[in-house]
């Protein structure tokens, strides 16, 4: 496994691989890797000749400096896990390599996609995600981009980014299923900050999401989200930031089930001062 901290040398290496007709799968991460990330690496290995993973805690996507400061950083462990899983290249740059002084980062508008759900609660978050992923794509020029479904809204935003860059023919987007703990809790780097009790409490979120999948036809979207919020908060240790039903492509909230051919449930909750998100397809 080859390690890079400089975009210029990584780009040169990947260009040489492309010239040798080797396809490249790219897995962008912010580190603190878990099995969900490693699944993306495994999937990339199945589909591409070479796999590049980036580890970069992108300051531009944190609207809350305290959240950025608390984000877990476990570089040594991450590199070990990536080597064992079979990544070929890892890019773990300093901020100045991703955003060189005097350079103008590219900004893309994501319209209504960035004003709802995560976008509404984390202003500027998707602008920062778009900025860093555009930069990483230009450095790596991959054939495939692999993302986790847990961050479903991010997947839709990055699909729009590829379109706006006019790269959607050149880079295949793979959205890989959310990896869960045995109790259903979606794997997330942020789970590292939960106590064992917190992890148990947080598993209720997926229980409630599953109940919504089973019983949505008996209720309206508003009734069901009221019930879900009440059930989660009744537990005492969970605070719900949003619990919404939205059309699966544009993520606009639905008032009636027949407003969209595909609806997802998406939620953000706080447990022990840790913000967790999850989502699933209803139909
Ligand atoms: O999902 C993440 O870890 C980040 O948002 C990403 C895609 C690596 C961009 O910083």
């Amino acid at each position: 496994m080859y390690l890079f901290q400089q975009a210029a040398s990584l780009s040169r290496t990947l260009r040489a691989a492309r010239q040798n007709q080797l396809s490249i799968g790219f897995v962008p991460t912010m580190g603190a890797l878990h099995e969900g990330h490693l699944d993306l690496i495994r999937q990339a290995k199945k589909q591409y000749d070479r796999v590049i993973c980036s580890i970069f805690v992108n300051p531009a996507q944190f609207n809350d400096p305290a959240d950025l400061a608390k984000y877990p950083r476990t570089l040594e462990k991450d590199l070990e896990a990536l080597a064992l899983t079979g990544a070929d290249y890892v890019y773990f740059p300093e901020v100045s390599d991703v955003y060189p002084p005097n350079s103008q980062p590219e900004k893309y508008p994501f319209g209504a996609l960035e004003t709802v759900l995560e976008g509404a609660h984390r202003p500027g978050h998707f602008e920062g995600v778009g900025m860093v992923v555009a930069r990483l794509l230009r450095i790596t020029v991959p054939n495939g981009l692999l993302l986790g479904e847990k961050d479903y809204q991010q997947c839709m935003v990055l699909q729009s980014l590829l379109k706006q860059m006019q790269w959607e023919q050149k880079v295949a987007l793979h959205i890989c299923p959310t990896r869960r703990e045995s109790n259903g809790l979606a794997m997330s780097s942020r789970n590292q900050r939960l106590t064992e009790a917190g992890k148990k409490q947080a598993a209720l979120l997926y229980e409630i999401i599953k109940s919504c999948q089973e019983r949505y036809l008996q209720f309206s979207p508003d009734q069901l989200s009221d019930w879900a919020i009440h059930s989660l908060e009744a537990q005492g240790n969970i605070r719900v930031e949003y619990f919404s039903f939205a059309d699966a492509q544009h993520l606009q909230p639905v008032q009636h089930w027949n407003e969209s051919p595909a609806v997802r449930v998406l939620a953000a909750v706080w447990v022990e001062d840790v913000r967790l998100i999850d989502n699933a397809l209803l139909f």
Side-chain angles (χ1 to χ4, degrees), residues 58-65 67 107-108 110-131 153 157 190 241-242 270 275:
N58 172 33
Q61 70 187 74
F62 285 82
N63 56 315
D64 174 4
D67 191 25
K107 288 188 183 169
Y108 289 88
F110 299 110
L113 251 187
E114 64 183 330
T115 59
V116 292
L117 307 168
E118 289 302 284
H121 291 272
R122 302 181 68 190
H125 170 64
F126 287 123
E127 182 179 279
V129 170
M131 235 157 78
Q153 189 172 5
V157 161
R190 291 170 191 269
E241 198 166 276
Y242 64 81
W270 288 86
R275 187 174 185 278

Side-chain angles (χ1 to χ4, degrees), residues 161-218:
L161 175 75
L162 289 173
K163 230 186 207 149
Q164 294 186 61
M165 291 173 73
Q166 300 187 341
W167 280 31
E168 81 265 46
Q169 304 299 332
K170 157 162 147 179
V171 182
L173 176 63
H174 304 271
I175 301 178
C176 305
T178 302
R179 182 78 180 252
R180 296 183 181 279
E181 304 290 351
S182 54
N183 67 5
L185 173 63
M187 287 192 186
S188 161
S189 304
R190 291 170 191 269
N191 294 357
Q192 293 188 13
R193 295 181 40 226
L194 293 171
T195 63
E196 285 311 308
K199 285 181 191 160
K200 272 194 198 146
Q201 290 153 359
L204 182 63
L205 177 56
Y206 188 54
E207 287 297 307
I208 298 286
I209 286 178
K210 279 192 301 186
S211 301
C212 291
Q213 286 175 312
E214 283 155 19
R215 43 157 80 192
Y216 70 91
L217 278 176
Q218 301 161 38

Side-chain angles (χ1 to χ4, degrees), residues 19 54 69 201 268:
Q19 280 161 358
S54 63
Q201 290 153 359

Side-chain angles (χ1 to χ4, degrees), residues 265-279:
V265 47
L266 303 105
V269 303
W270 288 86
V271 179
E272 294 180 332
D273 213 23
V274 181
R275 187 174 185 278
L276 303 170
I277 58 173
D278 202 350
N279 74 86

